Amino acid sequence: MAQALGLAVPPGPWHAARDGMAELAGWLSLVTGGLGKMGLDLIQLGQSEVGEVTAGTGGGSSTMPQKANPVAAEALVSLARLNAGDLAGMHHALIHAQERDGTALGLEWNILPFMLERTAAALRI
């Protein structure tokens, strides 16, 4: 079947080679990191002392009605920082016993879906 589909035989057991998952996590962290940098720039350039840009009118203030909190830019920063932290967990999943133990698999299953969701949310913002 594999030959009919033109699939190659991997050089090693796929379940023990987790570098692809770590690379995906790294890419997700890079995407959200770039967007987070833009968000932080917007926050800083929009501070009342600087006033270079307006980062939107997302959230108001109960004590200062004229204030518009840059909630979208803040969300980009938060999503980027969460993915950066979880990237370390995905790198921990590279360290597994023998042919692959369940602890590494559990890390991937608990970390990677959230990284994907955060990246999608950041791209949507």
Side-chain angles (χ1 to χ4, degrees):
M1 166 88 84
Q3 187 177 18
L5 293 172
L7 300 174
V9 177
W14 66 268
H15 61 282
R18 308 315 293 169
D19 54 326
M21 292 294 168
E23 285 181 40
L24 173 59
W27 182 82
L28 296 171
S29 185
L30 287 170
V31 170
T32 54
L35 294 169
K37 169 67 171 127
M38 287 187 242
L40 188 56
D41 286 349
L42 288 171
I43 291 168
Q44 291 180 328
L45 291 171
Q47 291 174 337
S48 57
E49 303 84 32
V50 179
E52 295 278 328
V53 299
T54 302
T57 58
S61 172
S62 59
T63 58
M64 296 180 287
Q66 77 283 4
K67 185 177 179 188
N69 294 318
V71 292
E74 290 169 345
L76 288 175
V77 175
S78 295
L79 293 166
R81 289 182 174 159
L82 286 167
N83 269 2
D86 276 354
L87 180 59
M90 287 298 291
H91 284 174
H92 282 288
L94 292 170
I95 306 164
H96 54 85
Q98 299 178 15
E99 290 299 317
R100 181 99 171 115
D101 64 38
T103 60
L105 185 63
L107 281 173
E108 289 176 353
W109 285 6
N110 282 286
I111 294 172
L112 194 57
F114 292 110
M115 290 186 77
L116 289 161
E117 289 176 0
R118 289 183 203 125
T119 305
L123 289 167
R124 181 185 50 79
I125 292 170

